[in-house]
């Protein structure tokens, strides 16, 4: 169980060159990571494991790691390791999306893989765990050699190699969205709804990005939450509406559209059903 505040790895300490990228190989032993000390970063990280076994702990959840495992994690996640045996030998690839700005504009997938780097786009998943991608080891070692050699135009070469690596990982992700476990889909969908509840939402498009059918996604969500996806989305939008009614001077119409409702009469019906009063009456009672 996590007992202390996470240790923050700042960008300035790890991305020290003129461009926001770094790569390095490390050997970690069991004592290097206390079980109650998690870490967060100010940059994205890809980890590739050459040798060793253990678990990657992410916000309290455990993912097995072995030789050939690769992980892509969003900076917001709190992570640490549980190492089995003598040591874990791994490679850390650290970067910011701006390092690949020109490539990311062009890179698209049906799975939504690259949304992890776009703050303006709903993120399908902030964590990707690839159980075994040993075929990418040579590419990663080439990146390490290029970074250490610092030869002419090596920054451009690193951009190309990193883009290639991400494309290969995205193709692995596309194969059944890493054979997503039901709990992974449920967790990722909840994050998506909470972060983007006021934005337009399509069940069909969301299901496609998770690699499942619309009906499967709806059944899966209801079996774990007890309510439908649209009911949860409606609940989140109404919660935001109540906040705006009490904390701002926006008109009821402005609150309606700002919370994601497209129809004023629909907003009134949903609000009255939930609260038993109209939005205006709720505002007046809440403000005394």
């Amino acid at each position: 169980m996590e007992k202390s505040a996470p240790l923050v790895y700042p960008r300035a300490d790890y991305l020290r060159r003129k461009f926001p990228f770094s790569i390095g190989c490390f050997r970690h032993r069991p004592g290097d990571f206390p079980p109650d000390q998690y870490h967060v970063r100010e940059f994205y990280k890809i980890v590739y494991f050459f040798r060793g076994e253990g678990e990657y702990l992410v916000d309290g959840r455990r993912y097995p790691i072995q030789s050939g495992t690769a992980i892509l994690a969003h900076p917001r996640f709190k992570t640490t390791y549980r190492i089995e045996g003598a040591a874990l030998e791994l490679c850390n690839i650290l970067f910011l999306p701006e390092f690949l700005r020109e490539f990311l504009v062009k890179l698209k997938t049906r799975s939504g893989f690259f949304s992890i780097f776009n703050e303006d786009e709903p993120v399908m998943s902030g964590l990707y765990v690839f159980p075994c991608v040993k075929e990418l080891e040579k590419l990663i070692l080439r990146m390490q050699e290029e970074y250490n050699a610092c030869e002419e135009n090596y920054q451009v070469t690193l951009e190309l190699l990193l883009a290639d690596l991400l494309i290969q990982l995205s193709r692995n992700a596309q194969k059944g969205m890493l054979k997503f476990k039901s709990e992974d889909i449920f967790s990722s969908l909840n994050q998506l709804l909470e972060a983007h509840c006021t934005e337009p939402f399509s069940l069909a498009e969301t299901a496609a990005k998770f690699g499942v059918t619309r009906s499967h996604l709806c059944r899966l969500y209801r079996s774990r939450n007890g309510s439908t996806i649209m009911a949860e989305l409606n609940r989140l939008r109404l919660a935001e509406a109540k906040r705006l009614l009490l904390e701002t001077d926006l008109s009821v119409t402005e609150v309606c559209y700002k919370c994601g409702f497209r129809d004023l009469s629909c907003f009134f019906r949903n609000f009255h059903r939930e609260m038993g009063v109209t939005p205006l009456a709720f505002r007046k009672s809440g403000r005394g």
Side-chain angles (χ1 to χ4, degrees):
M1 179 180 293
E2 183 183 352
K3 298 180 181 178
S4 57
L7 181 65
V8 179
Y9 290 160
R11 166 184 175 173
D13 290 351
Y14 292 87
L15 303 177
R16 296 181 176 179
R17 298 195 182 180
K18 293 182 179 180
F19 51 92
F21 177 90
S22 177
I23 181 172
C25 296
F26 303 91
R27 179 182 175 88
H28 293 312
R29 293 178 171 79
D32 294 345
F33 296 93
D36 62 344
Q37 182 62 72
Y38 280 65
H39 312 86
V40 294
R41 295 156 299 281
E42 294 180 348
F43 42 79
Y44 286 79
K45 179 171 78 168
I46 298 172
V47 190
Y48 179 81
F49 298 91
F50 295 110
R51 279 169 287 279
E53 295 182 350
E55 291 180 320
Y56 192 65
L57 280 64
V58 184
D59 289 348
R61 299 186 65 187
R62 297 171 180 267
Y63 297 86
I65 50 180
Q66 60 183 348
S67 175
T69 295
I71 295 170
L72 167 62
H74 191 283
R76 72 170 181 266
F77 283 112
K78 298 186 288 291
T79 67
T80 190
Y81 296 107
R82 188 182 71 80
I83 301 173
E84 298 174 358
L88 270 179
E89 296 181 23
L90 56 87
C91 180
N92 283 334
I93 303 169
L94 316 177
F95 62 96
L96 295 177
E98 63 192 64
F99 182 61
L100 292 175
R101 192 185 309 278
E102 293 183 7
F103 290 100
L104 292 176
V105 172
K106 303 174 184 178
L107 295 174
K108 303 290 182 183
T109 63
R110 286 175 294 171
S111 68
F113 177 85
F114 292 102
S115 67
I116 189 175
F117 303 118
N118 189 350
E119 297 299 331
D120 298 325
E121 183 178 344
V123 176
M124 291 299 106
S125 178
L127 175 74
Y128 290 90
V129 180
F130 303 85
C132 189
V133 285
K134 287 188 176 181
E135 67 274 14
L136 300 181
E137 188 167 307
K138 289 184 179 180
L139 174 58
I140 291 168
L141 291 174
R142 169 78 193 286
M143 294 173 69
Q144 174 76 74
E145 293 172 0
E146 191 71 30
Y147 184 79
N148 290 340
C150 298
E151 294 182 353
E152 189 175 30
N153 294 316
Y154 81 105
Q155 177 180 339
V156 176
T157 304
L158 287 169
E159 291 174 9
L160 293 168
L161 292 172
L162 180 57
D164 188 8
L165 177 61
L166 289 172
I167 289 170
Q168 300 307 316
L169 292 177
S170 75
R171 289 174 179 174
N172 275 272
Q174 184 67 32
K175 297 172 183 177
M177 282 299 293
L178 309 179
K179 299 181 180 178
F180 251 119
K181 295 180 180 178
S182 296
E183 193 59 36
D184 293 326
I185 295 178
F186 176 71
S187 176
S188 296
L189 180 53
N190 265 334
Q191 292 177 18
L192 174 67
L193 293 175
E194 290 174 6
H196 303 278
C197 65
T198 62
E199 301 172 13
F201 178 80
S202 166
L203 271 174
E205 290 178 6
T206 302
K209 289 180 178 179
F210 280 117
V212 298
T213 65
R214 173 176 170 168
S215 59
H216 178 80
L217 184 66
C218 291
R219 286 196 303 270
L220 185 155
Y221 192 85
R222 187 160 196 167
S223 70
R224 282 160 175 76
N225 192 54
S227 66
T228 67
I229 295 172
M230 298 312 295
E232 177 64 12
L233 183 62
N234 192 63
R235 184 191 69 79
L236 292 167
R237 286 174 172 173
L238 288 174
E240 177 65 7
K242 288 185 284 185
R243 185 189 71 80
L244 292 175
L245 287 167
L246 295 178
E247 297 179 8
T248 75
D249 293 322
L250 293 173
S251 69
V252 172
T253 300
E254 289 173 319
V255 169
C256 165
Y257 293 111
K258 197 170 184 64
C259 292
F261 291 95
R262 296 186 178 183
D263 181 83
L264 191 58
S265 61
C266 176
F267 172 60
F268 269 84
R269 284 197 305 273
N270 279 277
F271 196 95
H272 194 276
R273 186 185 304 120
E274 173 77 14
M275 300 305 300
V277 296
T278 66
L280 190 57
F282 174 82
R283 169 176 274 172
K284 290 179 178 178
S285 64
R287 291 182 173 182

